Amino acid sequence: MYLMLIGAPASGKGTQAKLLTEHFKIDHISTGDMLREAVTQRTELGQMIEDCLKHGRLVPDHHVMQLVEDRLAHDDITNGFILDGFPRTLSQAQAFDECLQQRGLSLDAALYIDVSDAVALQRVTGRRTDPLTKQVYHLTLNPPPPEILDRLVHREDDTEEVMRERLTTYHLEIAPVLEHYEHQNLGLKVNGSAKPDKIFEEILGRLESIPQKG
Ligand code: AMP
């Protein structure tokens, strides 16, 4: 299965990507995770990326494409992948079409998780990650066990102020990306305000109904 997950920040892409990865035994490729990893390397490029992340701006397309292409070149993706948070611009989507074509691959679906800005904002401000297990919690919607509270991390870009910037950027860029996949008959929209297991069920149902590749 070759899938991508498109949706606003905190729309639930990471949660669904994890479930899909386990279900289909495919690779999870999150550009947000790869960029956060690049920041830890303290290079000049890492510092530029950190600045983008801190302010809720998109990282320039060519850097993101480089990371994605490197990952596809080095990982075993013969079972498939789920791209999480990529593409975020039309030019990334177009460049990615070429990248797939060169490898003789084609997407099965571009899943779009639809949530309102209000829901995304509520989710993001309470979101906390366990650095040991990478498990993501929400302080009220999906509370962590009290004994691990102290070690949980609140992402620097998960504040209301930065989130408003991220949402503005998202809305500016995403419409042509969605259209791009609609034209290729790959777009599958799901309601992202339901509970994670319900969204997952809906996604699996929708994927079952897509025509199998020849
Ligand atoms: P995420 O973890 O997907 O919410 O991404 C966190 C941040 O990483 C975003 O706010 C952007 O600054 C950056 N980012 C992630 N994916 C992309 C992408 N495909 N293109 C540009 N910037 C990205």
Side-chain angles (χ1 to χ4, degrees):
M1 249 322 156
Y2 293 90
L3 303 169
M4 59 175 53
L5 270 171
I6 299 169
S11 55
K13 298 187 299 293
T15 305
Q16 295 305 319
K18 196 161 177 270
L19 294 169
L20 288 161
T21 303
E22 285 159 10
H23 185 85
F24 290 113
K25 311 268 178 283
I26 52 181
D27 249 31
H28 177 193
I29 303 179
S30 154
T31 44
D33 284 351
M34 288 195 285
L35 291 165
R36 281 184 285 277
E37 173 64 32
V39 169
T40 64
Q41 285 160 18
R42 314 301 328 157
T43 57
E44 212 172 297
L45 176 62
Q47 277 168 17
M48 184 280 285
I49 293 173
E50 184 175 28
D51 199 48
C52 292
L53 265 62
K54 244 192 203 161
H55 295 97
R57 290 195 299 264
L58 291 183
V59 172
D61 289 335
H62 60 282
H63 293 307
V64 177
M65 284 315 301
Q66 190 65 54
L67 283 176
V68 171
E69 285 185 25
D70 284 354
R71 180 82 183 256
L72 294 187
H74 293 113
D75 279 12
D76 177 15
I77 47 151
T78 40
N79 266 347
F81 55 62
I82 173 99
L83 284 159
D84 162 4
F86 173 90
R88 268 173 152 100
T89 65
L90 181 59
S91 94
Q92 289 179 12
Q94 289 166 335
F96 189 60
D97 281 353
E98 265 180 48
C99 186
L100 286 178
Q101 216 175 0
Q102 281 163 9
R103 290 177 167 74
L105 299 174
S106 59
L107 275 183
D108 291 286
L111 297 159
Y112 165 47
I113 308 189
D114 185 28
V115 287
S116 67
D117 285 4
V119 167
L121 256 173
Q122 187 207 14
R123 285 185 185 165
V124 98
T125 46
R127 181 157 73 175
R128 299 290 184 277
T129 308
D130 181 349
L132 292 186
T133 62
K134 306 281 178 234
Q135 178 72 38
V136 180
Y137 297 94
H138 186 281
L139 292 178
T140 52
L141 303 174
N142 175 25
E147 64 274 17
I148 66 163
L149 257 182
D150 285 351
R151 69 169 189 243
L152 298 184
V153 176
H154 186 199
R155 264 170 55 179
E156 212 179 343
D157 58 344
D158 274 354
T159 60
E160 180 164 347
E161 191 193 350
V162 180
M163 180 61 170
R164 289 199 185 278
E165 198 57 46
R166 290 163 73 193
L167 284 169
T168 304
T169 310
Y170 170 77
H171 290 299
L172 274 176
E173 298 287 350
I174 213 64
V177 175
L178 294 175
E179 246 170 61
H180 180 80
Y181 292 112
E182 282 299 316
H183 282 144
Q184 299 184 19
N185 271 329
L186 291 171
L188 281 186
K189 177 170 157 178
V190 293
N191 173 10
S193 36
K195 287 209 167 10
D197 54 336
K198 289 279 164 235
I199 302 174
F200 185 54
E201 234 173 73
E202 188 184 348
I203 290 178
L204 289 186
R206 303 291 299 278
L207 288 177
E208 264 171 32
S209 68
I210 60 176
Q212 295 300 304
K213 283 184 204 158

